[in-house]
Short mmCIF file of all heavy atoms in Angstrom, two decimals:
data_model
loop_
_atom_site.label_atom_id
_atom_site.label_comp_id
_atom_site.label_asym_id
_atom_site.label_seq_id
_atom_site.Cartn_x
_atom_site.Cartn_y
_atom_site.Cartn_z
N ILE B 1 159.24 146.96 104.39
CA ILE B 1 158.61 148.24 104.04
C ILE B 1 157.99 148.12 102.65
O ILE B 1 158.24 147.15 101.93
CB ILE B 1 159.63 149.41 104.00
CG1 ILE B 1 160.69 149.17 102.92
CG2 ILE B 1 160.28 149.64 105.36
CD1 ILE B 1 161.59 150.36 102.65
N ASP B 2 157.20 149.10 102.27
CA ASP B 2 156.77 149.28 100.90
C ASP B 2 157.85 150.14 100.22
O ASP B 2 158.11 151.26 100.64
CB ASP B 2 155.40 150.00 100.84
CG ASP B 2 154.85 150.11 99.43
OD1 ASP B 2 155.59 150.59 98.55
OD2 ASP B 2 153.68 149.74 99.21
N ASN B 3 158.46 149.64 99.15
CA ASN B 3 159.58 150.35 98.53
C ASN B 3 159.17 151.69 97.92
O ASN B 3 159.99 152.63 97.86
CB ASN B 3 160.24 149.49 97.45
CG ASN B 3 159.28 149.09 96.33
OD1 ASN B 3 158.37 148.29 96.56
ND2 ASN B 3 159.46 149.64 95.15
N LEU B 4 157.91 151.85 97.51
CA LEU B 4 157.48 153.12 96.92
C LEU B 4 157.00 154.12 97.96
O LEU B 4 156.91 155.31 97.66
CB LEU B 4 156.34 152.87 95.90
CG LEU B 4 156.76 152.22 94.59
CD1 LEU B 4 155.51 151.97 93.72
CD2 LEU B 4 157.76 153.07 93.82
N LEU B 5 156.71 153.66 99.17
CA LEU B 5 156.17 154.55 100.20
C LEU B 5 157.22 154.85 101.26
O LEU B 5 157.97 155.82 101.13
CB LEU B 5 154.87 153.98 100.77
CG LEU B 5 153.71 154.07 99.75
CD1 LEU B 5 152.53 153.22 100.19
CD2 LEU B 5 153.28 155.52 99.54
N LYS B 6 157.36 154.04 102.30
CA LYS B 6 158.42 154.30 103.28
C LYS B 6 159.79 154.28 102.61
O LYS B 6 160.72 154.95 103.04
CB LYS B 6 158.35 153.28 104.41
CG LYS B 6 159.36 153.52 105.53
CD LYS B 6 159.21 154.91 106.18
CE LYS B 6 160.14 155.03 107.38
NZ LYS B 6 160.21 156.40 107.91
N GLY B 7 159.91 153.54 101.51
CA GLY B 7 161.18 153.49 100.79
C GLY B 7 161.36 154.58 99.78
O GLY B 7 162.42 154.66 99.13
N ALA B 8 160.38 155.47 99.61
CA ALA B 8 160.51 156.54 98.61
C ALA B 8 159.58 157.70 98.95
O ALA B 8 159.87 158.49 99.83
CB ALA B 8 160.22 155.99 97.20
N VAL B 9 158.41 157.79 98.28
CA VAL B 9 157.62 159.02 98.36
C VAL B 9 156.85 159.18 99.66
O VAL B 9 156.57 160.29 100.10
CB VAL B 9 156.67 159.16 97.16
CG1 VAL B 9 157.44 159.19 95.86
CG2 VAL B 9 155.64 158.06 97.12
N GLY B 10 156.49 158.08 100.33
CA GLY B 10 155.86 158.21 101.63
C GLY B 10 156.82 158.87 102.62
O GLY B 10 156.43 159.80 103.35
N GLN B 11 158.05 158.42 102.61
CA GLN B 11 159.06 159.03 103.47
C GLN B 11 159.35 160.46 103.03
O GLN B 11 159.60 161.35 103.88
CB GLN B 11 160.35 158.20 103.45
CG GLN B 11 161.40 158.64 104.43
CD GLN B 11 162.32 157.52 104.83
OE1 GLN B 11 162.43 157.21 106.01
NE2 GLN B 11 162.98 156.87 103.88
N ALA B 12 159.29 160.74 101.72
CA ALA B 12 159.50 162.11 101.23
C ALA B 12 158.41 163.05 101.74
O ALA B 12 158.67 164.18 102.13
CB ALA B 12 159.54 162.11 99.70
N VAL B 13 157.15 162.57 101.75
CA VAL B 13 156.05 163.38 102.28
C VAL B 13 156.20 163.53 103.79
O VAL B 13 155.94 164.60 104.35
CB VAL B 13 154.69 162.77 101.91
CG1 VAL B 13 153.55 163.45 102.65
CG2 VAL B 13 154.46 162.86 100.39
N GLN B 14 156.60 162.48 104.46
CA GLN B 14 156.90 162.57 105.90
C GLN B 14 157.94 163.65 106.16
O GLN B 14 157.82 164.46 107.09
CB GLN B 14 157.40 161.20 106.39
CG GLN B 14 157.65 161.12 107.89
CD GLN B 14 158.15 159.74 108.32
OE1 GLN B 14 158.23 158.80 107.51
NE2 GLN B 14 158.52 159.61 109.57
N ASN B 15 158.99 163.70 105.31
CA ASN B 15 160.01 164.73 105.44
C ASN B 15 159.46 166.12 105.15
O ASN B 15 159.78 167.10 105.83
CB ASN B 15 161.18 164.42 104.51
CG ASN B 15 162.05 163.29 105.03
OD1 ASN B 15 162.21 163.13 106.24
ND2 ASN B 15 162.59 162.50 104.13
N MET B 16 158.59 166.24 104.14
CA MET B 16 157.95 167.52 103.85
C MET B 16 157.15 168.00 105.07
O MET B 16 157.22 169.19 105.44
CB MET B 16 157.02 167.39 102.64
CG MET B 16 156.31 168.68 102.26
SD MET B 16 154.92 168.48 101.11
CE MET B 16 153.65 167.88 102.25
N ASN B 17 156.41 167.10 105.68
CA ASN B 17 155.63 167.47 106.87
C ASN B 17 156.54 168.04 107.96
O ASN B 17 156.21 169.05 108.59
CB ASN B 17 154.86 166.25 107.40
CG ASN B 17 153.75 165.80 106.47
OD1 ASN B 17 153.27 166.56 105.64
ND2 ASN B 17 153.33 164.56 106.61
N LEU B 18 157.66 167.39 108.18
CA LEU B 18 158.60 167.89 109.20
C LEU B 18 159.19 169.24 108.82
O LEU B 18 159.30 170.13 109.67
CB LEU B 18 159.73 166.87 109.40
CG LEU B 18 159.33 165.54 110.08
CD1 LEU B 18 160.47 164.53 109.96
CD2 LEU B 18 158.98 165.77 111.53
N MET B 19 159.52 169.40 107.55
CA MET B 19 160.14 170.65 107.10
C MET B 19 159.21 171.85 107.22
O MET B 19 159.67 172.98 107.39
CB MET B 19 160.61 170.48 105.65
CG MET B 19 161.73 169.47 105.47
SD MET B 19 162.01 169.04 103.74
CE MET B 19 163.01 170.44 103.21
N PHE B 20 157.92 171.61 107.14
CA PHE B 20 156.95 172.71 107.20
C PHE B 20 156.17 172.74 108.50
O PHE B 20 155.17 173.45 108.61
CB PHE B 20 155.98 172.61 106.00
CG PHE B 20 156.64 173.00 104.70
CD1 PHE B 20 157.24 172.06 103.89
CD2 PHE B 20 156.69 174.34 104.31
CE1 PHE B 20 157.86 172.42 102.70
CE2 PHE B 20 157.29 174.71 103.13
CZ PHE B 20 157.90 173.75 102.31
N GLY B 21 156.64 172.00 109.51
CA GLY B 21 156.01 172.04 110.81
C GLY B 21 154.62 171.46 110.87
O GLY B 21 153.80 171.82 111.73
N LEU B 22 154.31 170.52 109.96
CA LEU B 22 152.99 169.88 109.93
C LEU B 22 153.01 168.62 110.78
O LEU B 22 154.07 168.16 111.23
CB LEU B 22 152.63 169.52 108.48
CG LEU B 22 152.70 170.65 107.45
CD1 LEU B 22 152.36 170.10 106.07
CD2 LEU B 22 151.75 171.78 107.82
N ASP B 23 151.83 168.07 111.01
CA ASP B 23 151.73 166.76 111.65
C ASP B 23 152.54 165.77 110.81
O ASP B 23 152.32 165.64 109.60
CB ASP B 23 150.27 166.34 111.73
CG ASP B 23 150.05 164.96 112.36
OD1 ASP B 23 151.04 164.24 112.59
OD2 ASP B 23 148.89 164.63 112.63
N GLU B 24 153.46 165.06 111.43
CA GLU B 24 154.35 164.16 110.70
C GLU B 24 153.58 163.11 109.91
O GLU B 24 154.03 162.63 108.86
CB GLU B 24 155.31 163.49 111.68
CG GLU B 24 156.42 162.70 111.04
CD GLU B 24 157.44 162.19 112.04
OE1 GLU B 24 157.37 162.61 113.24
OE2 GLU B 24 158.29 161.36 111.68
N LYS B 25 152.38 162.75 110.38
CA LYS B 25 151.61 161.71 109.71
C LYS B 25 150.60 162.25 108.69
O LYS B 25 149.88 161.46 108.07
CB LYS B 25 150.85 160.90 110.77
CG LYS B 25 151.75 160.11 111.71
CD LYS B 25 150.90 159.26 112.68
CE LYS B 25 151.77 158.42 113.58
NZ LYS B 25 150.98 157.55 114.47
N ALA B 26 150.58 163.56 108.49
CA ALA B 26 149.58 164.17 107.59
C ALA B 26 149.68 163.57 106.19
O ALA B 26 150.76 163.45 105.61
CB ALA B 26 149.78 165.68 107.53
N GLY B 27 148.53 163.15 105.66
CA GLY B 27 148.45 162.61 104.31
C GLY B 27 148.98 161.19 104.19
O GLY B 27 149.06 160.64 103.08
N LEU B 28 149.31 160.56 105.30
CA LEU B 28 149.94 159.23 105.25
C LEU B 28 149.17 158.18 106.04
O LEU B 28 149.71 157.13 106.38
CB LEU B 28 151.38 159.33 105.79
CG LEU B 28 152.32 160.17 104.91
CD1 LEU B 28 153.63 160.44 105.65
CD2 LEU B 28 152.58 159.50 103.56
N ALA B 29 147.89 158.43 106.28
CA ALA B 29 147.04 157.42 106.95
C ALA B 29 146.53 156.48 105.88
O ALA B 29 145.42 156.59 105.36
CB ALA B 29 145.87 158.12 107.66
N LEU B 30 147.36 155.50 105.52
CA LEU B 30 147.11 154.62 104.37
C LEU B 30 146.69 153.23 104.82
O LEU B 30 147.10 152.76 105.88
CB LEU B 30 148.39 154.53 103.52
CG LEU B 30 148.97 155.87 103.09
CD1 LEU B 30 150.32 155.68 102.38
CD2 LEU B 30 148.01 156.63 102.17
N LYS B 31 145.92 152.58 104.01
CA LYS B 31 145.37 151.25 104.34
C LYS B 31 146.25 150.14 103.77
O LYS B 31 146.52 150.12 102.57
CB LYS B 31 143.97 151.13 103.77
CG LYS B 31 143.34 149.75 103.97
CD LYS B 31 142.02 149.65 103.22
CE LYS B 31 141.45 148.24 103.31
NZ LYS B 31 142.33 147.22 102.72
N PRO B 32 146.73 149.22 104.60
CA PRO B 32 147.48 148.07 104.07
C PRO B 32 146.57 147.17 103.25
O PRO B 32 145.34 147.15 103.45
CB PRO B 32 147.96 147.36 105.34
CG PRO B 32 147.01 147.78 106.40
CD PRO B 32 146.58 149.18 106.07
N SER B 33 147.16 146.44 102.31
CA SER B 33 146.34 145.60 101.40
C SER B 33 145.70 144.45 102.16
O SER B 33 144.59 144.05 101.84
CB SER B 33 147.20 145.08 100.27
OG SER B 33 148.29 144.34 100.76
N ALA B 34 146.37 143.87 103.15
CA ALA B 34 145.84 142.83 104.04
C ALA B 34 145.56 141.51 103.32
O ALA B 34 145.94 140.44 103.78
CB ALA B 34 144.59 143.31 104.79
#
């Protein structure tokens, strides 16, 4: 995982989306560095 995203704030935003009935992926369509 990315420690700052799925390991921290990405997961926190994912949780916010769930708590407010939003699309779980809202704001999290991010591009990998590749």
Side-chain angles (χ1 to χ4, degrees):
I1 63 170
D2 185 308
N3 60 290
L4 288 177
L5 289 167
K6 184 58 174 170
V9 300
Q11 187 154 237
V13 170
Q14 184 180 355
N15 285 326
M16 181 194 78
N17 291 339
L18 290 169
M19 294 167 81
F20 287 92
L22 306 177
D23 179 350
E24 190 173 349
K25 295 184 177 182
L28 294 169
L30 306 174
K31 176 188 175 299
S33 58

